[in-house]
Amino acid sequence: MYDIDKIRADFPILERTVYNRPLVYLDNGATTQKPRCVVEAMTEEYYSVNANVHRGVHFLSQKATELHEASRETVRSFINARSINEIVFTRGTTESINLLASCFGDAFMNEGDEVIVSVMEHHSNIVPWQLLAERKGIKLRVIPMTDSGTLMLDEYEKLFNERTRIVSVAHVSNVLGTVNPIKEMVRVAHAHGVPVLVDGAQSTPHFAVDMQLLDCDFFAFSAHKIYGPTGVGVLYGKEEWLDKLPPYQGGGEMIKNVSFEKTTFNELPYKFEAGTPDYIGTHALAVALDYVNKIGMDQIYSHERELTSYAMQQMQQIDGMRIFGTATDKDAVISFLVGNIHHLDMGTLLDRLGIAVRTGHHCAEPLMNRLGIEGTVRASFALYNTKEEVDTLVAGIKRVASMF
Ligand code: PMP
């Protein structure tokens, strides 16, 4: 039994109004709202535990370290990694991908080597590779998609050659909602001896992910998109790969011994965690993961899928509606345009009705080029959204459309 009223009561912000209307928050792809337990865990830790982790012999430092390291175990279990050594805390998906592009590029890529990405990537899975391209002369190869927003797997296979060093793809598109067949894509890459990085920013909040099942080599996600705090993220990496990579940033925590003659680096995962980590944030992430686990990722998945297909049905009946992304396996994201109403006008007018949606290119300009548009309006759902909110959205779109 999915008790939506009880769930909504956990999120104080959902009770507020904007412009004297009840808030309808449909910008979850950008960031999710936080349940009371997450915010309270942060306050509580600052009030009663706060001390820098790892370095202290004193009581508080040890308590803070325990919470921080217990969070690593919570993350490990959530994504079913083999070992806590495979869980690197970062600032978010963006930093996780930059870390990997930088370290993997330094260790394994030379001029003329290639990385395969897809046409539907977020800028954060394009630009780090382009920076590497500038630094080292590597090349980007791009997996094309069909008009429905499905990656062309036969074209994907053709992109592999003796210079392919890594594949880096989104698990779920933040614009189209397409769920890419990662397991199959990993199988193909591995058959060519190539590792795979998965951008899980938009998958982790919506369905259970399993590192051992997907068999990807690296996986990145952000806490703030899964009801956790901003400024924290995770890079998962198979231990045998992380062992082979050089450190990312230098500083405290990531070293074993330092002298001016020679510095040795700490073991995994600390080798990649220079400086004081956001230990309050990592604990809050663990609280968020416990929260979604308590509801159940499968229940969240069913609820959101039902909501998405209901929204698709209702929205498709609106005159002039164009929906971008109609793949068979589509997650809780709907990008659309109505007639020739500019996405910014639609978004601004919906906002006046209390409906928060995102407009623009959604940090996926190459995808916008592929679709031949400048931007879309995007409604993205979370575990607390309701059918009534979808009805409000649909009525809002119709009302805005009637004004043009
Ligand atoms: N990848 C995808 C698919 C995303 O949707 C986002 C966030 N919009 C990111 C990466 C970047 O995440 P963050 O800003 O949390 O680093």
Side-chain angles (χ1 to χ4, degrees), residues 29-30 91-95 97 122 124-125 170 172-174 199 201-202 222 224-225 362-363 378:
R91 283 194 303 120
T93 307
T94 303
E95 190 178 53
I97 299 173
H122 187 278
S124 62
N125 194 23
V172 174
S173 159
N174 65 313
D199 170 355
Q202 298 292 347
S222 299
H224 72 97
K225 292 188 197 280
H362 314 296
C363 297
R378 183 187 74 180

Side-chain angles (χ1 to χ4, degrees), residues 114 155 209 238 240 277 287 316 369 374:
E114 296 180 358
E155 296 298 322
V209 297
K238 281 184 183 165
E240 63 260 36
V287 173
Q316 272 158 344
N369 290 337
E374 273 177 27

Side-chain angles (χ1 to χ4, degrees), residues 165-363:
R165 293 289 171 267
I166 189 164
V167 174
S168 191
V169 282
H171 200 174
V172 174
S173 159
N174 65 313
V175 177
L176 308 165
T178 308
V179 182
N180 290 318
I182 294 300
K183 208 170 160 216
E184 172 60 10
M185 294 175 80
V186 168
R187 196 192 57 74
V188 170
H190 286 179
H192 288 87
V194 172
V196 179
L197 163 62
V198 176
D199 170 355
Q202 298 292 347
S203 61
T204 36
H206 302 295
F207 52 85
V209 297
D210 183 324
M211 292 307 107
Q212 296 183 55
L213 202 73
L214 289 176
D215 199 28
C216 56
D217 304 274
F218 307 100
F219 188 93
F221 69 99
S222 299
H224 72 97
K225 292 188 197 280
I226 185 164
Y227 314 101
T230 51
V232 179
V234 172
L235 174 67
Y236 156 83
K238 281 184 183 165
E239 206 164 346
E240 63 260 36
W241 273 114
L242 291 184
D243 261 335
K244 284 187 248 174
L245 298 182
Y248 180 46
Q249 296 176 328
E253 205 63 44
M254 51 75 73
I255 47 86
K256 203 173 252 153
N257 295 105
V258 177
S259 74
F260 284 110
E261 289 68 43
K262 183 169 172 57
T263 289
T264 52
F265 302 121
N266 207 339
E267 59 212 26
L268 291 178
Y270 308 108
K271 181 172 89 174
F272 296 104
E273 295 180 352
T276 299
D278 183 354
Y279 52 86
I280 304 281
T282 55
H283 173 51
L285 165 61
V287 173
L289 298 182
D290 286 342
Y291 177 79
V292 291
N293 269 336
K294 220 159 89 195
I295 298 173
M297 286 312 293
D298 291 345
Q299 277 69 29
I300 293 169
Y301 174 82
S302 307
H303 171 75
E304 292 179 350
R305 284 296 171 116
E306 205 182 307
L307 209 58
T308 309
S309 55
Y310 176 70
M312 286 288 278
Q313 265 170 27
Q314 299 299 308
M315 287 170 68
Q316 272 158 344
Q317 288 167 25
I318 297 172
D319 277 350
M321 173 61 69
R322 272 197 297 163
I323 290 175
F324 301 91
T326 51
T328 325
D329 196 0
K330 179 180 167 75
D331 215 78
V333 179
I334 304 181
S335 275
F336 65 95
L337 288 171
V338 181
N340 46 22
I341 304 170
H342 196 273
H343 51 84
L344 204 55
D345 292 334
M346 177 63 82
T348 307
L349 292 167
L350 286 176
D351 176 53
R352 289 285 153 172
L353 300 172
I355 306 165
V357 290
R358 186 141 296 243
T359 61
H361 55 56
H362 314 296
C363 297

